[in-house]
Amino acid sequence: MHIEIQYLPCLEYVSLLIQSNHVEFEVMENFPKQTFRNRTYLLGANGMECLTVPTLHVSGQKALTKDIRIDYFQDWQRRHMGAIRAGYGKAPFFEYFEPYISDIFAKKNKFLVDLNIDFIQLIMKILNVEFTFTFTDQFCSTNYLSYWNQINAKQDWQLRTNFKSIPYRQCFGDSFVPNLSILDLLMNHGKESRNILS
Protein backbone atom coordinates (compact mmCIF):
# COMPACT_ATOMS: atom_id res chain seq x y z
CA MET A 1 0.00 0.00 0.00
CA HIS A 2 1.16 3.54 -0.83
CA ILE A 3 0.16 6.46 1.42
CA GLU A 4 1.48 9.66 2.98
CA ILE A 5 2.76 9.69 6.59
CA GLN A 6 0.30 11.23 9.03
CA TYR A 7 0.69 12.52 12.60
CA LEU A 8 -1.13 10.45 15.26
CA PRO A 9 -3.44 9.36 12.45
CA CYS A 10 -7.21 8.94 12.45
CA LEU A 11 -8.98 5.59 12.64
CA GLU A 12 -9.67 5.54 8.91
CA TYR A 13 -5.93 5.77 8.18
CA VAL A 14 -4.95 3.10 10.74
CA SER A 15 -7.68 0.76 9.49
CA LEU A 16 -5.95 0.88 6.07
CA LEU A 17 -2.49 0.28 7.60
CA ILE A 18 -3.56 -2.84 9.49
CA GLN A 19 -4.86 -4.40 6.25
CA SER A 20 -1.47 -4.14 4.58
CA ASN A 21 1.66 -6.23 5.13
CA HIS A 22 3.89 -3.61 3.58
CA VAL A 23 3.45 0.15 3.40
CA GLU A 24 5.31 2.49 1.07
CA PHE A 25 5.24 5.98 2.56
CA GLU A 26 5.28 8.89 0.14
CA VAL A 27 8.04 11.30 1.18
CA MET A 28 9.01 12.78 -2.20
CA GLU A 29 5.87 14.91 -2.59
CA ASN A 30 5.93 18.69 -2.22
CA PHE A 31 4.80 19.10 1.39
CA PRO A 32 1.17 20.31 1.44
CA LYS A 33 0.05 22.57 4.28
CA GLN A 34 -3.07 22.10 6.41
CA THR A 35 -3.17 18.30 6.17
CA PHE A 36 -3.06 15.35 8.53
CA ARG A 37 0.70 15.10 7.90
CA ASN A 38 1.19 17.41 10.87
CA ARG A 39 -2.22 17.63 12.55
CA THR A 40 -4.58 15.38 14.47
CA TYR A 41 -7.92 15.58 16.29
CA LEU A 42 -8.50 14.49 19.90
CA LEU A 43 -11.58 14.60 22.11
CA GLY A 44 -11.46 16.80 25.21
CA ALA A 45 -13.87 18.27 27.74
CA ASN A 46 -14.73 21.06 25.28
CA GLY A 47 -15.22 18.76 22.31
CA MET A 48 -12.93 18.04 19.39
CA GLU A 49 -9.48 19.64 19.58
CA CYS A 50 -7.03 20.08 16.71
CA LEU A 51 -3.33 19.66 17.49
CA THR A 52 -0.76 20.81 14.93
CA VAL A 53 2.98 20.17 14.84
CA PRO A 54 4.58 23.46 13.73
CA THR A 55 7.06 23.14 10.88
CA LEU A 56 9.88 25.30 9.57
CA HIS A 57 9.46 26.63 6.05
CA VAL A 58 11.72 28.66 3.85
CA SER A 59 9.45 31.43 2.61
CA GLY A 60 8.42 31.11 -1.02
CA GLN A 61 10.13 27.75 -1.52
CA LYS A 62 8.59 24.30 -1.84
CA ALA A 63 10.06 21.50 0.25
CA LEU A 64 9.73 17.74 0.02
CA THR A 65 7.95 15.99 2.88
CA LYS A 66 11.16 14.11 3.76
CA ASP A 67 12.92 17.45 4.35
CA ILE A 68 10.30 19.12 6.55
CA ARG A 69 11.79 20.10 9.90
CA ILE A 70 9.84 20.55 13.13
CA ASP A 71 9.78 24.01 14.72
CA TYR A 72 10.94 23.68 18.33
CA PHE A 73 10.95 27.45 18.90
CA GLN A 74 7.28 26.89 19.74
CA ASP A 75 6.45 24.87 22.88
CA TRP A 76 4.09 22.56 20.99
CA GLN A 77 5.12 19.27 22.69
CA ARG A 78 4.02 20.58 26.10
CA ARG A 79 0.71 21.72 24.59
CA HIS A 80 0.12 18.38 22.84
CA MET A 81 1.05 16.34 25.93
CA GLY A 82 -1.16 18.61 28.05
CA ALA A 83 -4.10 18.04 25.69
CA ILE A 84 -3.51 14.27 25.76
CA ARG A 85 -3.38 14.28 29.58
CA ALA A 86 -6.48 16.48 29.88
CA GLY A 87 -8.42 14.40 27.36
CA TYR A 88 -7.34 10.92 28.38
CA GLY A 89 -5.81 11.12 31.87
CA LYS A 90 -8.79 9.22 33.29
CA ALA A 91 -9.08 6.78 30.37
CA PRO A 92 -8.53 3.09 31.24
CA PHE A 93 -5.28 2.69 29.28
CA PHE A 94 -3.71 6.14 29.71
CA GLU A 95 -1.15 5.00 32.30
CA TYR A 96 0.05 2.18 30.02
CA PHE A 97 0.63 4.30 26.91
CA GLU A 98 1.53 7.74 28.30
CA PRO A 99 5.21 6.90 29.01
CA TYR A 100 5.77 5.77 25.40
CA ILE A 101 4.12 8.90 24.02
CA SER A 102 6.18 11.13 26.35
CA ASP A 103 9.37 9.34 25.27
CA ILE A 104 8.64 10.03 21.59
CA PHE A 105 8.06 13.73 22.28
CA ALA A 106 11.22 13.86 24.41
CA LYS A 107 13.33 12.58 21.49
CA LYS A 108 12.81 15.92 19.72
CA ASN A 109 13.01 14.42 16.25
CA LYS A 110 14.43 16.95 13.81
CA PHE A 111 12.18 15.87 10.93
CA LEU A 112 8.38 15.49 10.86
CA VAL A 113 8.69 12.16 8.99
CA ASP A 114 10.72 10.68 11.87
CA LEU A 115 8.22 11.85 14.50
CA ASN A 116 5.31 10.40 12.53
CA ILE A 117 7.08 7.08 11.90
CA ASP A 118 7.89 6.73 15.61
CA PHE A 119 4.20 7.13 16.45
CA ILE A 120 3.04 4.79 13.69
CA GLN A 121 5.47 2.10 14.86
CA LEU A 122 4.24 2.50 18.45
CA ILE A 123 0.61 2.25 17.30
CA MET A 124 1.27 -0.91 15.29
CA LYS A 125 3.14 -2.46 18.24
CA ILE A 126 0.23 -1.74 20.60
CA LEU A 127 -2.21 -3.18 18.05
CA ASN A 128 0.09 -6.21 17.65
CA VAL A 129 0.25 -5.74 13.87
CA GLU A 130 3.35 -6.83 12.02
CA PHE A 131 4.10 -4.57 9.12
CA THR A 132 7.08 -3.38 7.17
CA PHE A 133 7.54 -0.06 5.46
CA THR A 134 9.76 1.74 2.99
CA PHE A 135 9.94 5.32 1.76
CA THR A 136 9.49 6.34 -1.85
CA ASP A 137 12.66 7.43 -3.65
CA GLN A 138 10.77 9.39 -6.28
CA PHE A 139 7.28 10.87 -6.31
CA CYS A 140 4.43 8.35 -6.76
CA SER A 141 6.73 5.66 -8.18
CA THR A 142 4.68 2.86 -6.67
CA ASN A 143 3.47 -0.52 -7.80
CA TYR A 144 1.23 -0.72 -4.72
CA LEU A 145 -2.41 0.14 -4.23
CA SER A 146 -2.32 3.88 -3.53
CA TYR A 147 -4.33 5.82 -0.98
CA TRP A 148 -2.01 8.81 -1.26
CA ASN A 149 -3.72 12.09 -0.41
CA GLN A 150 -7.16 10.46 -0.13
CA ILE A 151 -7.59 10.98 3.62
CA ASN A 152 -7.88 14.73 3.40
CA ALA A 153 -8.40 17.09 6.35
CA LYS A 154 -10.51 19.41 4.21
CA GLN A 155 -12.99 16.70 3.20
CA ASP A 156 -15.63 14.96 5.32
CA TRP A 157 -14.44 11.39 5.93
CA GLN A 158 -17.99 10.11 5.36
CA LEU A 159 -17.68 11.01 1.67
CA ARG A 160 -15.03 8.28 1.35
CA THR A 161 -15.70 4.52 1.34
CA ASN A 162 -12.50 3.31 3.08
CA PHE A 163 -13.93 3.17 6.57
CA LYS A 164 -17.13 2.55 8.48
CA SER A 165 -17.22 4.00 11.99
CA ILE A 166 -18.40 1.80 14.86
CA PRO A 167 -19.23 3.66 18.11
CA TYR A 168 -17.09 2.79 21.14
CA ARG A 169 -16.74 4.12 24.70
CA GLN A 170 -15.22 7.63 24.82
CA CYS A 171 -14.24 9.83 27.77
CA PHE A 172 -16.37 12.91 27.05
CA GLY A 173 -19.78 13.85 25.78
CA ASP A 174 -23.10 12.15 25.30
CA SER A 175 -22.77 11.71 21.56
CA PHE A 176 -20.07 9.65 19.88
CA VAL A 177 -17.43 11.53 17.84
CA PRO A 178 -16.16 9.31 14.98
CA ASN A 179 -12.79 9.01 13.23
CA LEU A 180 -10.61 10.85 15.74
CA SER A 181 -6.91 10.15 16.28
CA ILE A 182 -6.10 6.51 16.99
CA LEU A 183 -5.10 7.76 20.47
CA ASP A 184 -8.79 8.18 21.32
CA LEU A 185 -9.49 4.52 20.65
CA LEU A 186 -6.26 3.20 22.21
CA MET A 187 -6.69 5.15 25.45
CA ASN A 188 -10.22 3.86 25.89
CA HIS A 189 -9.88 0.27 24.64
CA GLY A 190 -6.20 -0.73 24.64
CA LYS A 191 -5.37 -3.85 22.66
CA GLU A 192 -9.07 -4.46 22.01
CA SER A 193 -8.79 -1.53 19.58
CA ARG A 194 -7.63 -3.82 16.82
CA ASN A 195 -10.92 -5.74 16.89
CA ILE A 196 -12.89 -2.49 16.75
CA LEU A 197 -10.79 -1.30 13.78
CA SER A 198 -11.19 -4.62 11.98
Side-chain angles (χ1 to χ4, degrees), residues 118-135:
D118 281 351
F119 275 121
I120 287 172
Q121 288 181 304
L122 172 62
I123 291 159
M124 299 306 255
K125 184 175 181 181
I126 292 168
L127 294 174
N128 197 27
V129 173
E130 286 187 34
F131 92 121
T132 60
F133 68 90
T134 52
F135 298 119

Side-chain angles (χ1 to χ4, degrees), residues 64-153:
L64 299 180
T65 292
K66 72 179 183 68
D67 297 325
I68 294 295
R69 293 173 180 260
I70 298 171
D71 181 358
Y72 286 102
F73 292 107
Q74 300 181 45
D75 194 13
W76 65 271
Q77 310 105 293
R78 187 176 60 78
R79 183 175 167 270
H80 288 210
M81 204 61 232
I84 292 167
R85 285 192 183 103
Y88 303 108
K90 294 182 179 173
F93 295 92
F94 174 80
E95 64 184 65
Y96 297 104
F97 303 141
E98 187 273 340
Y100 299 106
I101 295 166
S102 292
D103 286 350
I104 290 174
F105 284 135
K107 278 177 73 174
K108 287 188 124 178
N109 281 302
K110 189 183 292 184
F111 294 98
L112 180 65
V113 163
D114 296 329
L115 173 72
N116 291 353
I117 283 293
D118 281 351
F119 275 121
I120 287 172
Q121 288 181 304
L122 172 62
I123 291 159
M124 299 306 255
K125 184 175 181 181
I126 292 168
L127 294 174
N128 197 27
V129 173
E130 286 187 34
F131 92 121
T132 60
F133 68 90
T134 52
F135 298 119
T136 53
D137 54 12
Q138 52 185 326
F139 178 57
C140 274
S141 62
T142 183
N143 296 319
Y144 298 103
L145 173 65
S146 183
Y147 289 99
W148 175 75
N149 233 19
Q150 289 188 23
I151 300 176
N152 188 324

Side-chain angles (χ1 to χ4, degrees), residues 26-91:
E26 182 58 67
V27 295
M28 301 301 286
E29 62 185 353
N30 286 327
F31 182 74
K33 297 178 182 179
Q34 299 180 338
T35 68
F36 288 126
R37 288 158 181 82
N38 67 325
R39 71 169 55 173
T40 193
Y41 289 92
L42 303 179
L43 187 61
N46 298 318
M48 207 161 63
E49 183 174 1
C50 179
L51 301 179
T52 303
V53 179
T55 57
L56 296 168
H57 289 282
V58 178
S59 182
Q61 292 185 1
K62 291 186 177 179
L64 299 180
T65 292
K66 72 179 183 68
D67 297 325
I68 294 295
R69 293 173 180 260
I70 298 171
D71 181 358
Y72 286 102
F73 292 107
Q74 300 181 45
D75 194 13
W76 65 271
Q77 310 105 293
R78 187 176 60 78
R79 183 175 167 270
H80 288 210
M81 204 61 232
I84 292 167
R85 285 192 183 103
Y88 303 108
K90 294 182 179 173

